[in-house]
Amino acid sequence: LAELLFGGRAKQLMRRYPIFRRALWGIENALFTLVFWMLRLLRPASAAAFGAWVLRRLGPRHGKSKHLRRNFSIAFPDLDSNGVERLVREAWSNFGACLTEYAHLDHIAHGRRGAGVEYVVAPGIRALEARDQPAIFVTAHYGNWELAALAVAHQRIPVTAVYSPLQNPGLDQR
C-alpha cells in the first residue's frame, strides 16, 4: 500500500531504512483500522456496493490495469477495446466488493446484519468426511475467495489454508 500511496521511491526507502518501513506499516495499519471501522458502520451489502463503486472508478487508472487489458485481450480476442474496458471495470468492481467484505466476514459467516451465504454440500464432501482422510480443496479466485474455506469449516471439517503472507505483519495478522 505504501508503494501505491507514495510511489516506487517508498519501496526503496523501506528496504534501506527499517525505521521508515515500520513507520509506513504503522500508517497502513492505522488507515486500514479506520477504513474497516467506517465500513462496519454500513450494512455488509452496502459496504460491498461502496467498494465496488470506488474501485470501478479508480482501479482502471491504476498501473495494474495494463496487465488486465493485455490478459483480457488475449483471453477474448473478439472483444473490441470498449469490451475490454468493460471487463477491466468489472474486475476492479468485483475486487472492491471483495475487499470491503473483509470488514464484515464475521457477519457473513454468522448470517448477521443481513449478510450470509448458503452452503450446498456436494455428496462427494460427505464421502470424504466418512473416509476420515485428508483432502485438498482447490477453489477459483472468484468473488470473495475467503468464503470457500468458511464453507468447508462450517461443515466441521478441519481446514488448513495456504496463502502468501502480506509484507506488513500487522495487516497480515488482521
Side-chain angles (χ1 to χ4, degrees), residues 57-133:
R57 280 147 188 81
L58 298 180
R61 299 175 186 169
H62 191 277
K64 296 276 184 191
S65 293
K66 174 178 67 174
H67 301 293
L68 287 172
R69 288 181 185 95
R70 184 186 67 233
N71 290 343
F72 284 140
S73 294
I74 292 168
F76 304 103
D78 295 337
L79 277 184
D80 61 6
S81 61
N82 289 335
V84 169
E85 283 305 311
R86 183 181 53 79
L87 288 178
V88 167
R89 284 190 307 276
E90 287 299 317
W92 279 109
S93 177
N94 182 61
F95 186 54
C98 289
L99 285 178
T100 52
E101 282 178 351
Y102 270 89
H104 290 283
L105 281 181
D106 60 331
H107 295 144
I108 294 168
H110 303 293
R112 295 189 310 241
R113 296 195 71 203
V117 290
E118 177 184 358
Y119 303 105
V120 178
V121 181
I125 300 296
R126 295 289 177 230
L128 287 172
E129 212 173 24
R131 287 187 355 196
D132 196 31
Q133 291 181 347

Side-chain angles (χ1 to χ4, degrees), residues 18-28:
I19 193 164
F20 186 74
R21 178 176 56 237
R22 286 192 298 274
L24 285 178
W25 283 348
I27 292 168
E28 284 180 340

